[in-house]
Amino acid sequence: MIAGLNTCCITHALKANPIICIDMVKDFWLSAKVNRSGARGAGSVDAKIQGKDIIITEAIDREVLKFVDPTHYLTTFGRDKVMKDLQRISYDGEYPTMLKKLFPPYYRLLVHMFLLCISKNKGDLDQLNQIQTSVMVALVNNWDYNFFAFVLKT
């Protein structure tokens, strides 16, 4: 499982250990505005940090996080494809609502870390929805997946 995660397209985003300045984060969130017509019509987030204008676009996010997944990659997979793979990894439950406790221990750890670190769940850290399940299956199998769209939209 570790070897697979080390070769997947989100390795950099998972391993990066940036220096975070709390004051700058606060400045960003106090001034951040969505600009739907910015960045040549693609949209952007415009903010001001310590008096300096900051413009964040999808292209910049992809570059910094090193997400190289093309935008045409899927963000969900069909029920049959997912169920087949869940059975292969010995998941002992139903789909689409997945329960962490029904995964084998090593996959349970991966699901736990995913829910804590990547998903937007603030609570309910024992359940995965259909999109989150697709992400997990894509990670485990190193399938083509639009991780950036998942991070951006969820």
Side-chain angles (χ1 to χ4, degrees), residues 52-70:
K52 183 177 179 184
D53 290 328
I54 304 293
I55 299 172
I56 300 172
T57 64
E58 178 180 340
I60 291 169
D61 283 345
R62 282 182 176 276
E63 180 184 330
V64 170
L65 294 173
K66 298 188 185 346
F67 279 111
V68 294
D69 47 315

Side-chain angles (χ1 to χ4, degrees), residues 62-114:
R62 282 182 176 276
E63 180 184 330
V64 170
L65 294 173
K66 298 188 185 346
F67 279 111
V68 294
D69 47 315
T71 56
H72 68 274
Y73 282 179
L74 298 175
T75 55
T76 57
F77 299 106
R79 177 182 175 80
D80 293 337
K81 186 174 184 174
V82 171
M83 277 307 295
K84 182 180 172 186
D85 246 74
L86 289 172
Q87 290 169 348
R88 187 183 61 76
I89 64 171
S90 301
Y91 176 72
D92 193 28
E94 297 297 318
Y95 176 79
T97 302
M98 310 288 299
L99 296 175
K100 180 173 65 176
K101 68 182 178 183
L102 300 177
F103 280 95
Y106 40 92
Y107 288 111
R108 191 176 313 136
L109 175 62
L110 178 63
V111 170
H112 178 76
M113 296 308 293
F114 166 77

Side-chain angles (χ1 to χ4, degrees), residues 8-142:
C8 79
C9 65
I10 64 168
T11 300
H12 176 76
L14 294 173
K15 289 182 170 182
N17 192 15
I19 297 171
I20 298 173
C21 300
I22 301 298
D23 291 341
M24 291 182 178
V25 172
K26 286 179 182 177
D27 278 358
F28 175 83
W29 287 114
L30 286 173
S31 65
K33 303 272 189 273
V34 174
N35 182 351
R36 298 203 187 282
S37 62
R40 293 183 215 137
S44 65
V45 175
D46 302 343
K48 200 174 275 267
I49 298 176
Q50 295 181 339
K52 183 177 179 184
D53 290 328
I54 304 293
I55 299 172
I56 300 172
T57 64
E58 178 180 340
I60 291 169
D61 283 345
R62 282 182 176 276
E63 180 184 330
V64 170
L65 294 173
K66 298 188 185 346
F67 279 111
V68 294
D69 47 315
T71 56
H72 68 274
Y73 282 179
L74 298 175
T75 55
T76 57
F77 299 106
R79 177 182 175 80
D80 293 337
K81 186 174 184 174
V82 171
M83 277 307 295
K84 182 180 172 186
D85 246 74
L86 289 172
Q87 290 169 348
R88 187 183 61 76
I89 64 171
S90 301
Y91 176 72
D92 193 28
E94 297 297 318
Y95 176 79
T97 302
M98 310 288 299
L99 296 175
K100 180 173 65 176
K101 68 182 178 183
L102 300 177
F103 280 95
Y106 40 92
Y107 288 111
R108 191 176 313 136
L109 175 62
L110 178 63
V111 170
H112 178 76
M113 296 308 293
F114 166 77
L115 288 172
L116 238 95
C117 301
I118 300 175
S119 79
K120 68 174 184 169
N121 292 24
K122 298 294 183 212
D124 197 19
L125 294 175
D126 63 336
Q127 248 182 356
L128 286 93
N129 63 31
Q130 187 174 5
I131 294 173
Q132 293 168 335
T133 302
S134 290
V135 173
M136 293 303 305
V137 171
L139 274 173
V140 168
N141 294 299
N142 205 16

